[in-house]
Amino acid sequence: MSGALHARGMWLLAGLWLWSAATGATQPYTGPLFDAHLHYNDEACVHDAPAPGCPHPLSDVLDRMQRNGVRAIIANSRPNDGTKALAQARQQTRAAGVTVVPFIRLYRDRADYNNWFRDPSIAELVRTELAQGTPSGPYRGLGEFHLYDSANAQGAIARDLMVLADRQNLAVLAHVDDLAVEQLMQHVMDARQQQHTPGGASNREVVERGGPESGAGPPQGRFAPPWGAATREAVERGGPVLIWAHTGIGGTPVARVDELMARFPHLMGELSYRPGLTCENGQLCPDWRTLILKYPDRFLIGSDTWINQRWLYYDGLMQGYRTWLGGLPPEVARAVGWDNGARLFGLPEPGNRP
């Protein structure tokens, strides 16, 4: 990316800071951002297609990330070609200072949004993608997937995906309601309850408190080997990380979010589209500020570029996050803006951009 583009991003942040100082408003957060919910779908670009088939080529989306201080992304796309294109563009992402964390999306097209949980071919899709990986390395998670009816979380495919994530140390990004969060985590507990930990504690108790477990067996069902047995990291973690997309897009009460955070130590809340998150002057509403201060290591920010309009508004989305992050204690702002995502995937401290 050009020096002029980098300078443009710095002027953008500096202008926001000067406006805040002049009006007496809280100064925005100026540190790195981890975009934990980014799609590069085929509406944005059908790769190797000429315009208008690619209204947002790689150069465009990376420019938007760079000028907004986004240093890492969870990339998940419909179809997975968009994520692979980002992962393959190592020279361009390195120049932009952006690390790509690739997830497997369960969707080949829009029809899969409403059918993946009853379509056995999704198992083969996941198996193939995991075996192939991406040009920059293995996939690190599954999702985003949608369950518009929480009852569908009880199905065999959803169950097997959660068990796979547990065995293979994969994070899960799920657009679901609070009841489905419980059911998805229940699948892991039920799989582990077939065994018991030394000392008599049930595996359900181990998962809920986030403690270690011994004797994890190989995956069963639709997602059986070639992948092999559980990784040490997954066993030590006591269950997969479930990133709750939007942390209740239907307006799940804050008290209920608090309850689930307390119950499931590996539940993370991603905050795009969350109703009732911000109040006056773009700052966090009091109940959300209290919750984030209670769980400063459990929240993430994201763009959710599911339609092209979100790419057009990417600057404003990131500026909005910087505004309310600036109202938090600096160490909490840094955690939510960057550290929590970086810690999940073992990313190094971001250096200066090239």
Side-chain angles (χ1 to χ4, degrees), residues 23-59:
T23 60
T26 301
Q27 295 176 3
Y29 167 75
T30 58
L33 293 176
F34 188 115
D35 185 343
H37 189 156
L38 184 138
H39 304 298
Y40 194 26
N41 293 337
D42 56 6
E43 293 93 344
C45 187
V46 177
H47 298 281
D48 299 324
C54 187
H56 293 285
L58 280 167
S59 58

Side-chain angles (χ1 to χ4, degrees), residues 31 34 48 107 130 137 163 173 182-184 188 197 220 236 254 259 268 280 286 291 350 352:
F34 188 115
D48 299 324
Y107 305 153
L130 275 177
V163 174
L173 177 62
E182 291 182 311
Q183 183 60 64
L184 292 172
V188 178
T197 58
Q220 303 296 326
E236 291 177 347
V254 173
E259 175 192 342
M268 305 286 291
E280 187 176 359
L291 187 67
N352 293 328

Side-chain angles (χ1 to χ4, degrees), residues 50-321:
C54 187
H56 293 285
L58 280 167
S59 58
D60 175 74
V61 299
L62 290 173
D63 285 353
R64 294 174 192 274
M65 297 174 207
Q66 182 180 17
R67 68 179 180 244
N68 285 286
V70 173
R71 305 303 303 273
I73 59 172
I74 288 178
N76 68 107
S77 310
R78 171 187 39 78
N80 288 297
D81 295 351
T83 295
K84 293 175 186 175
L86 285 164
Q88 186 173 10
R90 284 174 283 187
Q91 183 175 353
Q92 296 100 307
T93 56
R94 188 179 305 114
V98 176
T99 298
V100 177
V101 179
F103 275 34
I104 299 174
R105 197 98 191 265
L106 309 187
Y107 305 153
R108 297 153 296 195
D109 51 42
R110 285 194 173 274
D112 287 334
Y113 280 57
N114 295 307
N115 293 298
W116 69 266
F117 50 84
R118 53 179 166 244
D119 183 349
S121 70
I122 295 300
E124 184 60 31
L125 182 155
V126 172
R127 179 180 292 112
T128 299
E129 291 292 347
L130 275 177
Q132 293 178 348
T134 77
S136 64
Y139 286 102
R140 306 298 303 277
L142 306 176
E144 179 198 21
F145 59 76
H146 297 71
L147 290 170
Y148 299 114
D149 182 347
S150 59
N152 292 322
Q154 301 173 21
I157 293 177
R159 178 199 64 210
D160 290 350
L161 279 173
M162 292 303 296
V163 174
L164 168 68
D166 185 31
R167 303 296 193 229
Q168 297 297 313
N169 194 28
L170 299 169
V172 175
L173 177 62
H175 176 133
V176 297
D177 66 13
D178 55 310
L179 297 177
V181 167
E182 291 182 311
Q183 183 60 64
L184 292 172
M185 297 304 278
Q186 188 73 44
H187 288 315
V188 178
M189 299 175 199
D190 290 345
R192 291 181 170 207
Q193 272 194 305
Q194 297 174 13
Q195 304 166 345
H196 289 276
T197 58
S202 72
N203 287 308
R204 175 177 300 190
E205 293 167 343
V206 170
V207 173
E208 289 194 351
R209 70 171 182 254
E213 176 196 350
S214 62
Q220 303 296 326
R222 293 172 177 78
F223 303 103
W227 304 305
T231 62
R232 180 178 300 275
E233 292 89 345
V235 172
E236 291 177 347
R237 260 195 348 220
V241 170
L242 177 60
I243 301 173
W244 189 5
H246 320 299
T247 318
I249 197 168
T252 304
V254 173
R256 174 65 166 154
V257 177
D258 189 353
E259 175 192 342
L260 293 173
M261 288 282 176
R263 183 177 173 192
F264 300 114
H266 303 300
L267 178 64
M268 305 286 291
E270 185 272 320
L271 295 170
S272 64
Y273 278 110
R274 168 62 218 198
L277 181 67
T278 57
C279 288
E280 187 176 359
N281 297 322
Q283 293 298 314
L284 289 169
C285 295
D287 52 355
W288 274 100
R289 177 182 171 84
T290 298
L291 187 67
I292 289 174
L293 291 176
K294 184 175 181 179
Y295 301 103
D297 58 347
R298 305 282 292 281
F299 288 99
L300 304 158
I301 61 105
S303 59
D304 191 9
T305 49
W306 68 286
I307 53 176
N308 286 350
Q309 186 182 48
R310 299 285 283 186
W311 282 115
L312 297 176
Y313 293 164
Y314 197 84
D315 293 349
L317 294 170
M318 294 301 116
Q319 290 170 28
Y321 283 126

